[in-house]
Amino acid sequence: MAAKQFDLVVIGAGPGGYVAAIRASQLGLKVAIVEREHMGGICLNWGCIPTKAMLRSSEVFHLMHRAKEFGLSATGIDYDLDAVVKRSRGVAKQLNSGVGHLMKKNKVEVLMGEASLPAKGKVSVKTEKGTEELSAKNIILATGARARELPGLEADGDLVWTYKHALMPPRMPKKLLVIGSGAIGIEFASFYNTLGADTTVVEVMDRILPVEDAEISAFAKKSFAKQGMKIMEKAMVKQLDRGKGKVTAHIEVGGKVEKIDFDTVISAVGIVGNTEGLGLEALGVKVDRTHVVTDEFCRTGVEGLYAIGDIAGAPWLAHKASHEGVMVAELIAGKNNVHPVKPESIAGCTYCHPQVASVGYSEAKAKELGYKVKVGRFPFIGNGKAIALGEAEGMVKTVFDEKTGELLGAHMIGAEVTELIQGYVVGRTLETTEEDLMNTVFPHPTLSEMMHESVLDAYDRVIHI
């Protein structure tokens, strides 16, 4: 049977792949997309979206306990973990079917199956009905990544969980160990700790949330400790002894090994790219530590073959994948003026309690790059809206280039900062300076006023502290 012809075949229907397919179709290309598991990928089904649904439940639970502060009364406060999970799965399902609808609407042909690349411009798809051969001048790899498993710390779904088990827990952990304090680890630690699990977080680096600005990490550590979380930094889980209903973790910290018992362990020690079984080596695609090596336009060096999103390396964020998808689709369609996605202009958001968000360089990174910096800070306690919300814990920090006034980075911790950060993201995209931000009128009373005050503080003009 002759191979089906397309202008573009996208492998993987996560937030990188399905967005690339839609944009390419809008630009008049004939597009097929191949997905082996779920439309919407990890993000919609097992990542960004269901975790936020679960964290929202724990946030409401936390607020219910604070009812008295707001002049309200709530008694017999409890939760039903199965119902929390059910709501989260329902949210994911709704969005998953939405992606299927978008594919139809944009006339993208969907093939459910396992793809491989037998030759340049060829895609072979193993489906339930057999193998389908496709050919296309352009192919986008958007196969994503999966949880990294360390030897001896492998998940078993019972005592040791990956993020997938943590999203559909077989039981509520009583004593929980979370290995890794990046976004995924801290979000699950925050969720289970709020629901009452005795939670310990182990981080191998010298501080939790290691990609964030050091001041934000320190603030987060204090907040989490106040909530009863135990944080172990510069620590490493050497082995897990699994017994009946319990795990003994050997944790090396400060040169000594401590043995601590837990009933549940969540491993969140990073991710590995899904590069196997595609036939990349034979095509001459360069893979470095499970990630496909590309240039700034996501080209792999093999003509007509691109890689976007998690498989193409950090930052491992859905919004980065989507933007790369659009960029590559426009490149393939021959559009002029296509801009590469700049990693330092992509915001990172962590939905723990309190929330954490940042864009650009940390203070330390800016200095390391040779900038002379001006730094401003503003605490939530100085903001009327934050106090009215009962959310007076947090801070906004801004980093400027002393010479040009360029906004180099912004770092926040506190209520709703994952929504606030976008103001600074837009500012960086428009190449804003401190003067533009100072002359911008921020509405009152809003949390966003703290963004203004932090800028003013960097130039010794702060009003409310």
Short mmCIF file of all heavy atoms in Angstrom, two decimals, residues 36-84:
data_model
loop_
_atom_site.label_atom_id
_atom_site.label_comp_id
_atom_site.label_asym_id
_atom_site.label_seq_id
_atom_site.Cartn_x
_atom_site.Cartn_y
_atom_site.Cartn_z
N ARG A 36 0.38 7.94 20.94
CA ARG A 36 0.29 6.53 21.36
C ARG A 36 -0.60 6.34 22.58
O ARG A 36 -1.02 5.23 22.87
CB ARG A 36 1.69 5.96 21.62
CG ARG A 36 2.38 6.52 22.83
CD ARG A 36 3.71 5.85 23.08
NE ARG A 36 4.39 6.50 24.20
CZ ARG A 36 5.64 6.25 24.53
NH1 ARG A 36 6.36 5.40 23.82
NH2 ARG A 36 6.19 6.84 25.55
N GLU A 37 -0.88 7.44 23.31
CA GLU A 37 -1.61 7.25 24.56
C GLU A 37 -2.82 8.16 24.71
O GLU A 37 -3.95 7.75 24.61
CB GLU A 37 -0.66 7.47 25.73
CG GLU A 37 -0.54 6.25 26.61
CD GLU A 37 0.49 6.46 27.71
OE1 GLU A 37 1.54 7.09 27.43
OE2 GLU A 37 0.24 6.03 28.83
N HIS A 38 -2.56 9.45 25.01
CA HIS A 38 -3.66 10.37 25.31
C HIS A 38 -3.51 11.65 24.51
O HIS A 38 -2.45 12.25 24.53
CB HIS A 38 -3.64 10.82 26.78
CG HIS A 38 -3.52 9.73 27.77
ND1 HIS A 38 -4.59 8.95 28.14
CD2 HIS A 38 -2.46 9.28 28.48
CE1 HIS A 38 -4.18 8.07 29.05
NE2 HIS A 38 -2.91 8.25 29.26
N MET A 39 -4.60 12.11 23.89
CA MET A 39 -4.59 13.44 23.29
C MET A 39 -4.38 14.46 24.42
O MET A 39 -5.01 14.37 25.46
CB MET A 39 -5.93 13.74 22.59
CG MET A 39 -6.23 12.80 21.44
SD MET A 39 -4.92 12.76 20.18
CE MET A 39 -5.16 14.34 19.38
N GLY A 40 -3.48 15.40 24.18
CA GLY A 40 -3.18 16.39 25.23
C GLY A 40 -1.93 16.03 26.01
O GLY A 40 -1.42 16.84 26.79
N GLY A 41 -1.44 14.80 25.81
CA GLY A 41 -0.17 14.41 26.41
C GLY A 41 -0.19 14.39 27.93
O GLY A 41 -1.24 14.38 28.57
N ILE A 42 1.00 14.38 28.50
CA ILE A 42 1.15 14.34 29.97
C ILE A 42 0.51 15.56 30.60
O ILE A 42 -0.21 15.47 31.59
CB ILE A 42 2.65 14.26 30.35
CG1 ILE A 42 3.25 12.92 29.92
CG2 ILE A 42 2.84 14.48 31.86
CD1 ILE A 42 2.70 11.71 30.63
N CYS A 43 0.74 16.74 30.03
CA CYS A 43 0.28 18.00 30.63
C CYS A 43 -1.20 17.95 30.98
O CYS A 43 -1.60 18.18 32.11
CB CYS A 43 0.56 19.15 29.67
SG CYS A 43 -0.13 20.70 30.25
N LEU A 44 -2.02 17.63 29.98
CA LEU A 44 -3.47 17.64 30.20
C LEU A 44 -3.93 16.46 31.03
O LEU A 44 -4.87 16.58 31.81
CB LEU A 44 -4.19 17.58 28.84
CG LEU A 44 -4.80 18.91 28.37
CD1 LEU A 44 -3.72 19.93 28.15
CD2 LEU A 44 -5.60 18.69 27.12
N ASN A 45 -3.29 15.30 30.86
CA ASN A 45 -3.81 14.08 31.45
C ASN A 45 -3.17 13.70 32.78
O ASN A 45 -3.83 13.17 33.66
CB ASN A 45 -3.64 12.93 30.46
CG ASN A 45 -4.48 13.14 29.21
OD1 ASN A 45 -5.67 12.90 29.21
ND2 ASN A 45 -3.86 13.64 28.14
N TRP A 46 -1.86 13.96 32.89
CA TRP A 46 -1.14 13.51 34.08
C TRP A 46 -0.21 14.56 34.67
O TRP A 46 0.64 14.25 35.49
CB TRP A 46 -0.30 12.26 33.74
CG TRP A 46 -1.15 11.10 33.37
CD1 TRP A 46 -1.37 10.59 32.11
CD2 TRP A 46 -1.96 10.32 34.25
NE1 TRP A 46 -2.25 9.55 32.18
CE2 TRP A 46 -2.63 9.35 33.46
CE3 TRP A 46 -2.18 10.33 35.63
CZ2 TRP A 46 -3.49 8.41 34.02
CZ3 TRP A 46 -3.04 9.40 36.18
CH2 TRP A 46 -3.68 8.45 35.37
N GLY A 47 -0.33 15.80 34.23
CA GLY A 47 0.63 16.82 34.69
C GLY A 47 -0.04 18.09 35.11
O GLY A 47 -0.82 18.14 36.06
N CYS A 48 0.26 19.15 34.35
CA CYS A 48 -0.17 20.51 34.70
C CYS A 48 -1.61 20.58 35.20
O CYS A 48 -1.88 21.12 36.26
CB CYS A 48 -0.07 21.45 33.50
SG CYS A 48 1.21 21.05 32.33
N ILE A 49 -2.53 20.05 34.42
CA ILE A 49 -3.95 20.32 34.69
C ILE A 49 -4.51 19.52 35.88
O ILE A 49 -5.03 20.10 36.82
CB ILE A 49 -4.80 20.10 33.41
CG1 ILE A 49 -4.29 21.00 32.26
CG2 ILE A 49 -6.28 20.36 33.69
CD1 ILE A 49 -4.33 22.49 32.53
N PRO A 50 -4.39 18.18 35.89
CA PRO A 50 -4.95 17.46 37.05
C PRO A 50 -4.28 17.82 38.38
O PRO A 50 -4.94 17.84 39.41
CB PRO A 50 -4.75 15.99 36.70
CG PRO A 50 -3.79 15.94 35.58
CD PRO A 50 -3.87 17.25 34.87
N THR A 51 -2.98 18.16 38.34
CA THR A 51 -2.33 18.56 39.61
C THR A 51 -2.92 19.87 40.11
O THR A 51 -3.12 20.04 41.31
CB THR A 51 -0.79 18.72 39.46
OG1 THR A 51 -0.53 19.58 38.36
CG2 THR A 51 -0.09 17.41 39.27
N LYS A 52 -3.22 20.80 39.20
CA LYS A 52 -3.80 22.07 39.63
C LYS A 52 -5.20 21.87 40.20
O LYS A 52 -5.59 22.54 41.15
CB LYS A 52 -3.88 23.09 38.48
CG LYS A 52 -2.54 23.45 37.84
CD LYS A 52 -1.44 23.69 38.85
CE LYS A 52 -0.07 23.41 38.29
NZ LYS A 52 0.38 22.04 38.31
N ALA A 53 -5.94 20.92 39.63
CA ALA A 53 -7.28 20.61 40.16
C ALA A 53 -7.16 20.07 41.59
O ALA A 53 -7.92 20.46 42.49
CB ALA A 53 -7.98 19.60 39.26
N MET A 54 -6.19 19.19 41.82
CA MET A 54 -6.00 18.63 43.16
C MET A 54 -5.51 19.69 44.15
O MET A 54 -5.98 19.78 45.27
CB MET A 54 -5.02 17.45 43.12
CG MET A 54 -5.67 16.20 42.55
SD MET A 54 -4.52 14.84 42.31
CE MET A 54 -4.34 14.19 43.97
N LEU A 55 -4.58 20.53 43.70
CA LEU A 55 -4.06 21.59 44.57
C LEU A 55 -5.15 22.60 44.93
O LEU A 55 -5.15 23.16 46.01
CB LEU A 55 -2.86 22.29 43.90
CG LEU A 55 -1.57 21.47 43.97
CD1 LEU A 55 -0.63 21.85 42.83
CD2 LEU A 55 -0.88 21.64 45.31
N ARG A 56 -6.08 22.80 44.01
CA ARG A 56 -7.20 23.70 44.31
C ARG A 56 -8.04 23.12 45.44
O ARG A 56 -8.47 23.85 46.35
CB ARG A 56 -8.05 23.90 43.04
CG ARG A 56 -9.29 24.74 43.23
CD ARG A 56 -8.96 26.16 43.60
NE ARG A 56 -10.15 26.99 43.58
CZ ARG A 56 -10.28 28.14 44.24
NH1 ARG A 56 -9.26 28.60 44.94
NH2 ARG A 56 -11.38 28.84 44.16
N SER A 57 -8.25 21.80 45.42
CA SER A 57 -9.00 21.16 46.51
C SER A 57 -8.30 21.36 47.85
O SER A 57 -8.94 21.68 48.85
CB SER A 57 -9.17 19.65 46.24
OG SER A 57 -9.99 19.44 45.12
N SER A 58 -6.98 21.18 47.86
CA SER A 58 -6.25 21.33 49.13
C SER A 58 -6.24 22.79 49.58
O SER A 58 -6.27 23.08 50.79
CB SER A 58 -4.83 20.77 49.03
OG SER A 58 -4.02 21.55 48.21
N GLU A 59 -6.24 23.71 48.63
CA GLU A 59 -6.26 25.15 48.96
C GLU A 59 -7.60 25.51 49.62
O GLU A 59 -7.64 26.21 50.63
CB GLU A 59 -6.08 25.95 47.66
CG GLU A 59 -5.99 27.44 47.86
CD GLU A 59 -5.94 28.21 46.53
OE1 GLU A 59 -6.04 27.59 45.45
OE2 GLU A 59 -5.82 29.43 46.59
N VAL A 60 -8.70 25.00 49.05
CA VAL A 60 -10.03 25.26 49.63
C VAL A 60 -10.13 24.64 51.02
O VAL A 60 -10.64 25.25 51.97
CB VAL A 60 -11.15 24.73 48.69
CG1 VAL A 60 -12.52 24.86 49.35
CG2 VAL A 60 -11.15 25.50 47.36
N PHE A 61 -9.57 23.44 51.17
CA PHE A 61 -9.55 22.73 52.46
C PHE A 61 -8.81 23.57 53.51
O PHE A 61 -9.28 23.77 54.63
CB PHE A 61 -8.88 21.37 52.27
CG PHE A 61 -8.85 20.50 53.50
CD1 PHE A 61 -10.02 20.01 54.06
CD2 PHE A 61 -7.64 20.16 54.10
CE1 PHE A 61 -9.98 19.18 55.19
CE2 PHE A 61 -7.59 19.35 55.22
CZ PHE A 61 -8.77 18.87 55.77
N HIS A 62 -7.67 24.11 53.10
CA HIS A 62 -6.85 24.96 53.97
C HIS A 62 -7.64 26.22 54.37
O HIS A 62 -7.66 26.60 55.54
CB HIS A 62 -5.56 25.33 53.22
CG HIS A 62 -4.75 26.40 53.88
ND1 HIS A 62 -4.01 26.18 55.03
CD2 HIS A 62 -4.57 27.72 53.57
CE1 HIS A 62 -3.42 27.31 55.39
NE2 HIS A 62 -3.73 28.24 54.53
N LEU A 63 -8.33 26.83 53.41
CA LEU A 63 -9.12 28.03 53.69
C LEU A 63 -10.29 27.73 54.63
O LEU A 63 -10.64 28.55 55.49
CB LEU A 63 -9.65 28.65 52.39
CG LEU A 63 -8.65 29.49 51.60
CD1 LEU A 63 -9.22 29.85 50.23
CD2 LEU A 63 -8.27 30.77 52.35
N MET A 64 -10.90 26.56 54.47
CA MET A 64 -12.01 26.18 55.35
C MET A 64 -11.56 26.14 56.81
O MET A 64 -12.28 26.56 57.71
CB MET A 64 -12.58 24.82 54.93
CG MET A 64 -13.41 24.89 53.65
SD MET A 64 -13.64 23.27 52.89
CE MET A 64 -14.98 22.62 53.87
N HIS A 65 -10.34 25.70 57.02
CA HIS A 65 -9.79 25.67 58.38
C HIS A 65 -9.55 27.07 58.93
O HIS A 65 -9.45 27.26 60.14
CB HIS A 65 -8.48 24.87 58.41
CG HIS A 65 -8.69 23.40 58.42
ND1 HIS A 65 -9.03 22.70 59.56
CD2 HIS A 65 -8.67 22.48 57.43
CE1 HIS A 65 -9.17 21.42 59.27
NE2 HIS A 65 -8.97 21.26 57.98
N ARG A 66 -9.45 28.04 58.04
CA ARG A 66 -9.20 29.42 58.46
C ARG A 66 -10.49 30.24 58.53
O ARG A 66 -10.44 31.45 58.72
CB ARG A 66 -8.24 30.09 57.47
CG ARG A 66 -6.82 29.53 57.50
CD ARG A 66 -5.95 30.22 56.46
NE ARG A 66 -5.91 31.65 56.66
CZ ARG A 66 -5.48 32.53 55.73
NH1 ARG A 66 -5.09 32.10 54.55
NH2 ARG A 66 -5.47 33.81 55.98
N ALA A 67 -11.64 29.58 58.39
CA ALA A 67 -12.93 30.28 58.30
C ALA A 67 -13.10 31.33 59.40
O ALA A 67 -13.56 32.45 59.15
CB ALA A 67 -14.07 29.26 58.36
N LYS A 68 -12.71 31.00 60.63
CA LYS A 68 -12.90 31.88 61.78
C LYS A 68 -12.24 33.25 61.57
O LYS A 68 -12.80 34.28 61.94
CB LYS A 68 -12.32 31.20 63.02
CG LYS A 68 -12.99 31.63 64.30
CD LYS A 68 -12.55 30.78 65.46
CE LYS A 68 -12.94 31.52 66.75
NZ LYS A 68 -12.25 30.99 67.90
N GLU A 69 -11.05 33.24 60.94
CA GLU A 69 -10.34 34.51 60.66
C GLU A 69 -11.19 35.47 59.84
O GLU A 69 -11.02 36.67 59.90
CB GLU A 69 -9.08 34.24 59.83
CG GLU A 69 -7.92 33.65 60.56
CD GLU A 69 -6.80 33.36 59.55
OE1 GLU A 69 -6.50 34.22 58.69
OE2 GLU A 69 -6.24 32.25 59.59
N PHE A 70 -12.07 34.89 59.00
CA PHE A 70 -12.87 35.70 58.08
C PHE A 70 -14.29 35.96 58.62
O PHE A 70 -15.17 36.38 57.89
CB PHE A 70 -12.96 35.02 56.70
CG PHE A 70 -11.62 34.88 56.02
CD1 PHE A 70 -10.87 33.72 56.16
CD2 PHE A 70 -11.10 35.92 55.26
CE1 PHE A 70 -9.63 33.59 55.56
CE2 PHE A 70 -9.86 35.79 54.65
CZ PHE A 70 -9.12 34.64 54.80
N GLY A 71 -14.48 35.65 59.92
CA GLY A 71 -15.79 35.85 60.53
C GLY A 71 -16.80 34.80 60.12
O GLY A 71 -18.01 35.02 60.17
N LEU A 72 -16.32 33.65 59.68
CA LEU A 72 -17.22 32.57 59.23
C LEU A 72 -17.09 31.39 60.16
O LEU A 72 -16.11 31.29 60.92
CB LEU A 72 -16.83 32.14 57.80
CG LEU A 72 -16.72 33.27 56.77
CD1 LEU A 72 -16.10 32.75 55.49
CD2 LEU A 72 -18.10 33.87 56.48
N SER A 73 -18.06 30.48 60.07
CA SER A 73 -17.88 29.28 60.89
C SER A 73 -18.07 28.04 60.02
O SER A 73 -18.96 27.98 59.18
CB SER A 73 -18.83 29.31 62.07
OG SER A 73 -19.98 28.55 61.81
N ALA A 74 -17.15 27.11 60.18
CA ALA A 74 -17.23 25.84 59.45
C ALA A 74 -16.84 24.75 60.42
O ALA A 74 -15.78 24.81 61.04
CB ALA A 74 -16.28 25.86 58.26
N THR A 75 -17.72 23.76 60.57
CA THR A 75 -17.40 22.67 61.51
C THR A 75 -17.37 21.35 60.76
O THR A 75 -17.90 21.24 59.65
CB THR A 75 -18.46 22.60 62.63
OG1 THR A 75 -19.75 22.56 62.01
CG2 THR A 75 -18.38 23.79 63.56
N GLY A 76 -16.75 20.38 61.39
CA GLY A 76 -16.69 19.03 60.81
C GLY A 76 -16.01 19.02 59.45
O GLY A 76 -16.41 18.29 58.55
N ILE A 77 -14.96 19.83 59.32
CA ILE A 77 -14.27 19.94 58.02
C ILE A 77 -13.53 18.64 57.74
O ILE A 77 -12.78 18.14 58.58
CB ILE A 77 -13.26 21.12 58.04
CG1 ILE A 77 -14.00 22.43 58.30
CG2 ILE A 77 -12.48 21.19 56.74
CD1 ILE A 77 -13.11 23.53 58.82
N ASP A 78 -13.76 18.10 56.57
CA ASP A 78 -13.11 16.83 56.21
C ASP A 78 -12.94 16.78 54.69
O ASP A 78 -13.40 17.67 53.98
CB ASP A 78 -13.97 15.66 56.69
CG ASP A 78 -13.15 14.39 56.89
OD1 ASP A 78 -11.94 14.41 56.59
OD2 ASP A 78 -13.73 13.38 57.35
N TYR A 79 -12.28 15.73 54.22
CA TYR A 79 -12.15 15.57 52.77
C TYR A 79 -12.38 14.11 52.40
O TYR A 79 -12.28 13.22 53.24
CB TYR A 79 -10.78 16.04 52.27
CG TYR A 79 -9.63 15.23 52.82
CD1 TYR A 79 -9.24 14.04 52.20
CD2 TYR A 79 -8.94 15.65 53.95
CE1 TYR A 79 -8.20 13.28 52.71
CE2 TYR A 79 -7.90 14.90 54.47
CZ TYR A 79 -7.54 13.72 53.85
OH TYR A 79 -6.52 12.97 54.36
N ASP A 80 -12.68 13.91 51.13
CA ASP A 80 -12.84 12.57 50.59
C ASP A 80 -11.84 12.46 49.45
O ASP A 80 -12.03 13.04 48.38
CB ASP A 80 -14.29 12.43 50.09
CG ASP A 80 -14.55 11.13 49.34
OD1 ASP A 80 -13.57 10.44 48.97
OD2 ASP A 80 -15.72 10.81 49.11
N LEU A 81 -10.74 11.77 49.70
CA LEU A 81 -9.64 11.72 48.73
C LEU A 81 -10.10 11.18 47.37
O LEU A 81 -9.72 11.70 46.32
CB LEU A 81 -8.47 10.88 49.27
CG LEU A 81 -7.18 10.91 48.44
CD1 LEU A 81 -6.63 12.31 48.29
CD2 LEU A 81 -6.12 10.00 49.04
N ASP A 82 -10.97 10.18 47.39
CA ASP A 82 -11.47 9.61 46.13
C ASP A 82 -12.22 10.66 45.32
O ASP A 82 -12.11 10.74 44.10
CB ASP A 82 -12.39 8.41 46.39
CG ASP A 82 -11.61 7.20 46.91
OD1 ASP A 82 -10.37 7.21 46.78
OD2 ASP A 82 -12.23 6.28 47.46
N ALA A 83 -13.01 11.48 46.03
CA ALA A 83 -13.78 12.53 45.34
C ALA A 83 -12.87 13.63 44.80
O ALA A 83 -13.10 14.18 43.72
CB ALA A 83 -14.83 13.11 46.30
N VAL A 84 -11.81 13.94 45.56
CA VAL A 84 -10.83 14.93 45.10
C VAL A 84 -10.18 14.44 43.80
O VAL A 84 -10.06 15.17 42.82
CB VAL A 84 -9.73 15.16 46.19
CG1 VAL A 84 -8.57 15.97 45.63
CG2 VAL A 84 -10.33 15.87 47.40
#
